[in-house]
Amino acid sequence: MAAGRARRPLGPLWLLGPLRLGLLLLGQPGPAAASRSGSPSPRTGSVVRTFTPFHFLVEPMDVLSVRGASVIMNCSAYCETSPKIEWKKDGTLLNLVSDDRRQLLPDGSLLINSVVHSKHNKPDEGYYQCVATVESLGTIVSRTAKLTVAGLPRFTSQPESSSVYKGNSAILNCEVNVDLAPFVRWEQDRQPVFLDDRVFKLPSGALIISNATDMDGGVYRCIIESGGTPKYSDEAELKILPDPEEPQSLVFARQPSSLTKVTGQSAVFPCVAVGFPTPYVRWTRNEEELTTEGSERFLFLAGGSLVISEVMEEDVGMYTCIADNGNETIEAQAELAVQVPPEFLKRPANIYAHESMDIVFECEVTGKPTPTVKWVKNGDMVIPSDYFKIVKEHNLQVLGLVKSDEGFYQCIAENDVGNAQAGAQLIILDLDVAIPTLPPTSLTSATNDHLAPATTGPLPSAPRDVVATLVSTRFIRLTWRTPVSDPQGDNLTYSIFYTKEGINRERVENTSRPGETQVMIQNLMPETVYVFRVVAQNKHGPGESSAPLKVATQPEVQLPGPAPNIRAYANSPTSVTVTWETPLSGNGEIQNYKLYYMEKGQDSEQDVDVAGLSYTINGLKKYTEYSFRVVAYNKHGPGVSTQDVVVRTLSDVPSAPPQNLTLEVRNSKSIMLHWQPPPAGTHSGQITGYKIRYRKVSRKSDVTESIGGTQLFQLIEGLERGTEYSFRVAALTVNGTGPATDWVSAETFESDLDETRVPEVPSSLHVRPLVTSIVVSWTPPENQNIVVRGYAIGYGIGSPHAQTIKVDYKQRYYTIENLDPSSHYVITLKAFNNVGEGIPLYESAVTRPHSDTSEVDLFVINAPYTPVPDPSPMMPPVGVQASILSHDTIRITWADNSLPKNQKITDARYYTVRWKTNIPANTKYKTANATTLSYLVTGLKPNTLYEFSVMVTKGRRSSTWSMTAHGTTFELVPTSPPKDVTVVSKEGKPRTIIVNWQPPSEANGKITGYIIYYSTDVNAEIHDWVIEPVVGNRLTHQIQELTLDTPYYFKIQARNSKGMGPMSEAVQFRTPKAESSDKMPNDQASGSAGKGSRPVDIGPDYKPPLGGSNSPHGSPTSPLDSNMLLVIIVSVGVITIVIVVIVAVFCTRRTTSHQKKKRAACKSVNGSHKYKGNSKDVKPPDLWIHHERLELKPIDKSPDPNPIMTDTPIPRNSQDITPVDNSMDSNIHQRRNSYRGHESEDSMSTLAGRRGMRPKMMMPFDSQPPQQSVRNTPSTDTMPASSSQTCADHQDPESTTGAYLANAQEEDSAQNLPTAHVRPSHPLKSFAVPAVPPAGSTYDPALPSTPLLTQQAPNHPVHSVKTASIGTLGRTRPPMPVVVPSAPDVQETTRMLEDSESNYEPDELTKEMAHLEGLMKDLNAITTA
């Protein structure tokens, strides 16, 4: 034992788990046990020993096992010398030599074979710890790991039979003991239940089925499979009921419960609401809307449950589940608490030191709950003492080092959810060995020795006359004289060694500079005897020691301790009584107490002197939290403060009325009231509801009361017609009713008027100008059957939009004041109601000059209902901002420059927020009132751009609307399936089918892809269907290698960035019976398969309509007069010559590099159908010039067969559709290949290929009017002009034999594409500018546009298919917009067919030729420009 310090060996190692053993330290106050190695390291002379790497590579982790299984507790340690591994269970070393079930593996891991576990015998369950030892070096211990053995399978609750309405959610209970929950699975009709976001299992084992369908009906049971024989629960039948006709009340079938989770775990908040209509569930966290946008950890399951994966500390809070079905709303709350295992912010560092030094091992940890820290030396716990101290909560300080303190020290942190360890090595060098580096930060100031190597020479003698010149309770000042050997002593430094009397462990303090002969020794104990000695040191080393000096510190002044049992309770809404008891350690007579109190959340503390043991504080705020503490005083001063106690004052009735009460007459028998809560700080408690009093103005004594909930509106019904009523509202708390608002009156209508449309124009408007004012008078609209809620008067110099004032619907006069003299004002008057504002009446007037003093018409000025506006108009709000919170919620904030700098509202002003979306264009504004500088707008559509503006109203004054702010709501998963799913065979390939569809009506975002499911069994589980993924910009797909003469069923599902939408209904299609080379099964239109195919024999009397299908090779099949045909050919020839000249002139301006780009683009078009890496280099076409030139240029023959048309069916039915993309960027060519790609020679051709490379002219995107739809032309028509132009020479010779008319006929007969807004009546009119879209059409750039549908010839035979979607193949489809589907216009479709079935007469052709000449003039003007 070094330095004479005696220690007894320590007991068993301390335990990290809940079970801990007390440790008893025997003998003298030695704080730590001796090293396990038994002997200190030998002296190495002047050689500095190095630190030895010794640490764990793998530590054991917590394990959950089942009875009879085998378990491995992993452990592996690293050291240059192979360490010896041992294991402790519950703090006791295991004897593994004679254990036949537990054995030590070569890497140090512990193997437990066949875990034993019963009710009364649990030998294997407990806490395990790995111990690694290297002889002569030391010992380290691992973290502790808990082995838990799952108990016997048992059910605490079992599933019960139940029924659920279709579309609602069902819950089947199967509660098991917690450790068995991971081993639970479910069966339906004895078949395993597959879990997803609609059918999922709670951590407790219960099963939740959301959006129940008929397929969910059946018999369910749960099974525990924990090894051995499975244990089955009772069976329970789940019945699916049809939708009830009557609404069902909304209730929670399962509410979320508060959870405590460890970081990294998953948290599940079940929230299952049932009722009819089916409710929609949303979540808030800490009263803020919760969204899954931008977070992969938050997931909303179908039905409304919330899953948080990999829980983080910032996820804590109160989560609220809100269910709403349109009729009622219910809420449920649950709190999430997050615990964090201990983590090291700073690990202990290795330390070199000399004997008698003080050192500190630093260890910073974090965790929740706050971890406790213990220290271990060489595997034995360090017990705090005078020389081993825990400082700064976690650090270990060792004072007065001795040689036996060497070894490995480990900081072990633990809390309720885990533990961790980190270690460091301490090496004590001999005094003649310098510490290798500068003293690390872990050395205290007392150990900053001068470590210069000593040289040979005379050493100083002992310092003289060591005395204590200042003695206090916790410090002593020592002074001395220089040694006799060195009277000057300028180069001497001194070391002061001291220890408690009777203790052999010395500590050392050094002087701060050479020649100093005094030192202050601090951190001593009161009333304790210390022994001091001083040693002088020169450049040769330390000299002799002075004689020991004994000094006793002073006793400490005794201050009072904390007052025990402090309590606080509220007496009233404004007073609190605090009581306490006399301090246990008063240390003399208590003179008085000081009571400190502070409002929660404030930083200014107040205090009051108290003589007794209780005090009542009055004048506090109602229903407010306060904190209190007490300090006792004696003659020495203030003592230790008590802990804070917090109490809330009692609630009271509200001290202010609700704000902004407004009335809205709904009809002749009801009035809607809206209001805002009382101002903040005046609630005096929790608002529990509102009391509404109302009465007839004519009978003020007869008052009716109505008490509502916490909602801020109430509809009062059952009123009398044409009667004026007064209303007032008061807020309620549990204590009673607060003050009410002033009476506000409104009159019910005489009759139930129409409010489905805006009011008509007022019948008259008269203005009377004065010098600085204009008197406006009017009469109401002639149609008295439409509700008028008021009139809006707009006025301004030269424009009526500078100022707007709204007046009551009863008013007929108004005086506009504060105008400029001799100024021309324009005035507008509009009647308005809740639908919107009606048509305005305009009038103008010039105010009189200053010199005009003519009398004012007093009758008009003093007319009833003529409010006089405040002289200063209100300024509109500024800085309007829209913050997107979710797919249906946006927060609007603004500032009001008419408020003080702190933006605090102290008057009765309120703000009106209005918002609308431009889709569709005629959308009306919605408005809402607010009394704060923000408003939460809910109920918006997903992925939709909204515009917002705000105005402020104070009394009769209103500002103009502010600048608008815009915000686009987040996307949401598609809420409707793809529509118009159709299936047809591919011509010549009966084993290949083509699936076509339209995007979902409610895409709720950009569609990123589709999944096609198909199966031969419509009742098969969806996971048994074959899946075909398709990219989002395609609306058609080929499926090959199907079985002949087999019925297949198809479903399609769309997805966007938020997830998958619902599936479409199953569509049936039967493949043909046998292969056929010249006839395509299920052929829905005429035409041949492509190059070299024989035209179908359709009879001698057939006359194809110009608007219908035509010969696939461009030759007209209708018999025309040969003379007329000759005229046409000659005419087209002349036109062709003109175009050739134009093309030649234009092409000479092109550079050689541009021509190379054209050839490259052509090569790309005619090449592989797969994606090309250089497709992004193709420039978008000049949509005006090249397409018109392509439309009119002659088609040259070419010996090269058309590579585009090879083995490609001519589109012959309404299924040959092409997706339309809204963008025209450099990826156009790539999208074209995407439409065709992945199908090689069997892929469908693009529209450009089918038309002989002559796409229609297309209006440039930027040049169209704002409301003009852009769904008039397929995206493949926007191919690069260079490729289309140059590649025209490679077309099939057979398909280009006709003249211009024939080709034009082919384009609009075989390929007549009815668009959303254009209906060509003649091939030569294909240049017509698209018409204005009809009502109901929409333009939404965020959604895929409606693809164009090809028409078929009505006279060709059609295969009859009984399924609904395939049955539509034989009919021409009307255009179908994406966002707002509208019913087909039967009359318009009939006209289209009639137009297409008529042949043109010679005079008609003459007119068309004249029309063509006019277009040629336009073309010339464009090309020259």
Side-chain angles (χ1 to χ4, degrees), residues 378-443:
N378 288 333
D380 293 325
M381 188 176 72
V382 173
I383 299 177
S385 68
D386 289 345
Y387 296 96
F388 283 77
K389 296 183 177 181
I390 304 297
V391 296
K392 295 183 179 178
E393 296 185 5
H394 300 150
N395 297 341
L396 175 66
Q397 184 182 43
V398 185
L399 305 177
L401 288 175
V402 294
K403 195 67 178 177
S404 61
D405 291 334
E406 272 194 343
F408 285 90
Y409 289 79
Q410 288 175 275
C411 171
I412 302 183
E414 68 165 337
N415 61 13
D416 295 342
V417 291
N419 62 86
Q421 62 84 22
Q425 185 179 6
L426 170 64
I427 293 180
I428 297 180
L429 301 174
D430 294 333
L431 291 175
D432 58 351
V433 178
I435 293 176
T437 60
L438 291 175
T441 57
S442 57
L443 299 180

Side-chain angles (χ1 to χ4, degrees), residues 905-937:
I905 302 172
T906 57
D907 50 25
R909 71 181 63 201
Y910 66 94
Y911 301 89
T912 303
V913 183
R914 71 174 182 181
W915 65 93
K916 64 171 287 191
T917 176
N918 289 328
I919 304 170
N922 58 351
T923 305
K924 300 297 182 183
Y925 279 106
K926 293 185 178 180
T927 61
N929 290 339
T931 56
T932 60
L933 297 177
S934 67
Y935 185 76
L936 200 66
V937 183

